Amino acid sequence: MTFDLPQTWAEQPVGMRDVYPEQAKYRRDIESKLLAFFEQHGYHMVSSGAFEYVDTLLRGRQVQEADDWLRWFDPNGRMVALRPDMTPSIARMAAPLVASGTKEIRWCYAEKVFRRSNDPASLSWVSGKAAESTQVGVEWIGPAANRADVDLLALCQRSVEHLGLADWQMVVSHAKLTASLLEVLGLSQEARETLMQYLIRGDYVGFRQVHADYGITEDVLGALAQVNPLDHGSLSAFLTYSREDNPTTQRVWKLWDELTEFASVLAVQGLTEHLSFDFTLTRDLSYYTGIIFEVFVPGVGAPVALGGRYDDLLAQFGSPAPAVGFTFEVERLLTALTDGRWLAESMGKGDVR
Amino acid sequence: MITIALAKGRTLEGILPLWTAANLPVPADLDDSRALVFEESSEQYGIVRFLLAKPADVPTYVSFGVADIGIVGKDVLIENPKDVYELLDLQAAQCKLCVAGRPEDKDTRPRRVATKYPRLADQYFRSQGVSVELVTLSGSIELAAVIGLADRIFDLVQTGATLAANGLVVFDEVLDVSARLIANRSSYRMKRNLVDEISRRITSVLAAEVGR
């Protein structure tokens, strides 16, 4: 038996993936369907270049986030990176408009985003950090929290349904509440930061170990899971630890009142059927200031949509304005919509809507 | 339906008593079969599918979401971090990551280290302020020290019997290792009740053991 080496075709870098005729068309159809839906709801499509200066991308973020990016030096010696998401570019584009008096900006986009990864594309698309993936999302700059957050969650839920997904779950958390609750427990800033790092990494074993080391013997994770803004009294699971009335507990109660108000509006609008709150859900992007949320579907190992409120980011770009947005991860959506057969030979014409 | 990836070998043997005590479904005829996938159906959990994988591959199966949860040693999670939730310390299959070697090498400066854990070994020796060459092997690490390929090995030690049989001694204990319950980030949200029920049962068995 002989093994004839095939002709040496050109190789493809690790993490890149070719997409053939019907599959590529299907992906573009989904992008267009989402964009058309966002445009119907008053969002206008924008686009920008695929790379930005690293110091632009890092505004409002931690320096170590750049470890995940594809970076190089431009001809002038400045460091640039392929965008890891669209939010910094949108903030950069919107800031001068906000400064010149524009009260409200609603933009949507469909773009490729990039990260460092050595995993094969088809697997990393469904599991998390893919070298290249497609994001279709919206950013809404101008309105403050609460009612705008409700409208944005509603838009996200309606787009999920518009795509025809039946089985999905939206998980909502808040960027500030969890850290504040840890403060109520009397933990030092250093302890809180360590604990938040464990939560972000998903290391619950380490989390329990650390708070035990700081002398907190209660089941903090269990208590966090009990906290549910749809039930105003559920915060007592936490606040029984600290009976004192001090500025920290007052701040938590104020935040809690806002969150329960938000939750009751969600309930009135019928948005809570596929929605649950979970304050162990955290995000490693440091610019979130308010609600954060993710949408999960069966068979896809990472969220198909994710978003949140980032009220301080625009200030980092020169003109303060509250903002909120979310994005769909298109390749993960395709996996869910085709039951994993998106890139398989068997994806017949019948699957393309 | 829930899919569980189990690390074959030491970890699996170590957690089976705990798993049984927690009254969780256990794959039948696990020992005498060469199969890699087992299915059990139970009233409470629906179909439970077990995947038997090499320990280093368990986090991969879980992070890609083909397994909802997994059981694997902490050593694997530190050496090869993946985006998964680490839910519980099962306090089973316990052992230690150790530096070992031939007794005559004990007081020499480490030069060449054989290991399955190149990342961890690098971090450890850096923290000791020594610069070493790492030789990455995939099993029977002791051999490297016995035949002189390396003057140190950096490996898991459970009973110390293998070390002793090869005339090696432990120089330093680096890290306590035990089996962990891990979960895929999406499965943890989509199948929360099932996952929580499994961890609740295990936790209560562990608590009872502490009380004994």
Side-chain angles (χ1 to χ4, degrees):
Chain A
M1 200 169 82
T2 56
F3 176 58
D4 290 324
L5 280 171
Q7 191 179 341
T8 48
W9 305 112
E11 290 175 80
Q12 194 178 25
V14 176
M16 293 293 114
R17 171 79 195 219
D18 296 327
V19 179
Y20 285 98
E22 283 177 10
Q23 302 157 349
K25 181 173 185 315
Y26 188 46
R27 175 163 70 185
R28 180 52 59 90
D29 288 348
I30 293 295
E31 289 171 33
S32 307
K33 196 170 175 176
L34 281 171
L35 280 175
F37 193 71
F38 294 153
E39 280 170 349
Q40 273 173 33
H41 287 83
Y43 291 82
H44 300 285
M45 187 167 84
V46 293
S47 180
S48 79
F51 55 90
E52 296 274 357
Y53 288 124
V54 166
D55 58 286
T56 304
L57 295 173
L58 274 177
R59 289 184 187 210
R61 291 197 190 190
Q62 312 274 359
V63 178
Q64 60 269 27
E65 288 175 38
D67 292 346
D68 266 351
W69 304 343
L70 285 156
R71 293 172 286 183
W72 70 96
F73 290 102
D74 77 355
N76 298 320
R78 286 184 71 179
M79 198 183 268
V80 291
L82 286 172
R83 58 174 171 235
D85 60 74
M86 272 299 282
T87 308
S89 306
I90 301 260
R92 178 180 55 70
M93 290 162 72
L97 300 178
V98 173
S100 65
T102 309
K103 288 276 173 284
E104 190 178 323
I105 293 171
R106 289 184 186 217
W107 284 344
C108 61
Y109 57 84
E111 299 284 357
K112 297 274 191 262
V113 298
F114 306 88
R115 283 178 187 282
R116 287 199 310 134
S117 171
N118 286 323
D119 287 332
S122 59
L123 281 174
S124 54
W125 276 334
V126 295
S127 69
K129 293 168 180 159
E132 182 187 48
S133 66
T134 313
Q135 290 190 340
V136 180
V138 302
E139 309 286 356
W140 187 6
I141 297 160
N146 293 337
R147 285 317 294 257
D149 291 350
V150 173
D151 289 351
L152 194 89
L153 285 195
L155 177 65
C156 184
Q157 293 197 4
R158 272 189 234 120
S159 10
V160 172
E161 277 158 5
H162 182 64
L163 290 167
L165 286 168
D167 190 8
W168 52 276
Q169 183 70 22
M170 177 182 268
V171 182
V172 184
S173 181
H174 191 282
K176 294 268 168 74
L177 185 73
T178 310
S180 306
L181 287 175
L182 295 178
E183 200 177 338
V184 169
L185 295 180
L187 289 160
S188 68
Q189 186 175 353
E190 188 200 353
R192 295 198 304 271
E193 280 171 8
T194 314
L195 283 170
M196 290 305 288
Q197 281 307 313
Y198 277 101
L199 266 194
I200 288 166
R201 282 212 306 273
D203 183 351
Y204 295 165
V205 174
F207 183 93
R208 288 189 207 100
Q209 185 60 52
V210 170
H211 74 64
D213 289 349
Y214 281 100
I216 306 239
T217 51
E218 286 91 348
D219 176 13
V220 181
L221 278 173
L224 272 178
Q226 303 281 312
V227 171
N228 180 0
L230 287 163
D231 168 11
H232 191 276
S234 63
L235 193 65
S236 58
F238 235 96
L239 291 188
T240 46
Y241 298 155
S242 169
R243 290 146 203 96
E244 299 167 58
D245 197 23
N246 58 36
T248 311
T249 41
Q250 282 165 12
R251 202 171 62 241
V252 167
W253 277 116
K254 183 167 174 290
L255 195 54
W256 184 245
D257 289 339
E258 288 166 14
L259 267 170
T260 47
E261 167 67 21
F262 167 66
S264 67
V265 180
L266 289 177
V268 168
Q269 297 206 2
L271 298 170
T272 48
E273 194 189 335
H274 292 267
L275 181 148
S276 54
F277 285 91
D278 186 340
F279 295 98
T280 59
L281 179 82
T282 45
R283 190 79 55 72
D284 53 358
L285 286 180
S286 41
Y287 57 63
Y288 286 105
T289 53
I291 57 153
I292 48 182
F293 60 97
E294 300 187 350
V295 177
F296 297 94
V297 296
V300 183
V304 295
L306 59 169
R309 171 162 288 278
Y310 49 97
D311 284 349
D312 298 339
L313 186 67
L314 266 286
Q316 300 284 327
F317 284 83
S319 52
V324 64
F326 68 85
T327 190
F328 280 97
E329 285 279 353
V330 175
E331 285 80 9
R332 295 181 202 161
L333 270 181
L334 291 166
T335 304
L337 287 167
T338 62
D339 202 14
R341 289 176 299 123
W342 172 51
L343 290 169
E345 296 291 322
S346 64
M347 203 193 94
K349 286 198 170 63
D351 292 303
V352 184
R353 256 166 275 185
Chain B
M1 157 118 171
I2 188 160
T3 303
I4 306 172
L6 299 171
K8 278 196 291 196
R10 198 180 46 75
T11 310
L12 180 57
E13 286 159 25
I15 63 102
L16 272 181
L18 172 66
W19 201 256
T20 318
N23 209 7
L24 293 163
V26 177
D29 55 81
L30 195 59
D31 296 334
D32 19 274
S33 172
R34 295 182 70 86
L36 299 172
V37 182
F38 294 85
E39 275 190 12
E40 294 290 317
S41 62
S42 83
E43 222 162 83
Q44 189 170 8
Y45 304 95
I47 295 169
V48 182
R49 192 163 61 161
F50 295 91
L51 313 179
L52 296 193
K54 283 198 85 161
D57 300 336
V58 168
T60 307
Y61 284 107
V62 175
S63 72
F64 288 147
V66 287
D68 298 306
I69 58 177
I71 293 177
V72 68
K74 178 69 176 171
D75 51 319
V76 175
L77 294 173
I78 312 182
E79 177 64 25
N80 189 9
K82 294 270 183 196
D83 268 350
V84 295
Y85 287 123
E86 187 181 326
L87 301 179
L88 268 186
D89 181 350
L90 302 180
Q91 297 163 31
Q94 285 172 332
C95 45
K96 283 181 164 42
L97 259 178
C98 292
V99 180
R102 288 174 301 184
E104 60 265 37
D105 286 329
K106 182 154 178 36
D107 297 319
T108 62
R109 202 177 160 76
R111 285 177 299 112
R112 214 186 283 146
V113 180
T115 185
K116 262 190 291 197
Y117 306 95
R119 265 175 61 114
L120 262 172
D122 183 61
Q123 281 174 16
Y124 168 76
F125 284 102
R126 258 175 222 288
S127 76
Q128 303 288 303
V130 270
S131 151
V132 296
E133 286 181 341
L134 292 172
V135 183
T136 308
L137 300 174
S138 54
S140 301
I141 314 293
E142 295 83 3
L143 188 57
V146 172
I147 61 162
L149 170 64
D151 54 293
R152 295 282 191 287
I153 64 168
F154 182 91
D155 201 17
L156 280 186
V157 177
Q158 194 167 20
T159 60
T162 317
L163 284 185
N166 289 289
L168 304 178
V169 291
V170 170
F171 295 169
D172 190 13
E173 292 177 351
V174 177
L175 193 72
D176 288 316
V177 167
S178 57
R180 303 295 160 103
L181 179 69
I182 60 173
N184 173 265
R185 295 198 168 212
S186 172
S187 303
Y188 187 58
R189 306 292 166 193
M190 293 300 291
K191 301 182 180 174
R192 187 64 178 266
N193 292 341
L194 276 179
V195 178
D196 277 351
E197 174 62 16
I198 291 173
S199 27
R200 197 187 57 73
R201 286 189 173 213
I202 296 175
T203 312
S204 61
V205 174
L206 290 175
E209 279 175 5
V210 170
R212 209 174 288 156

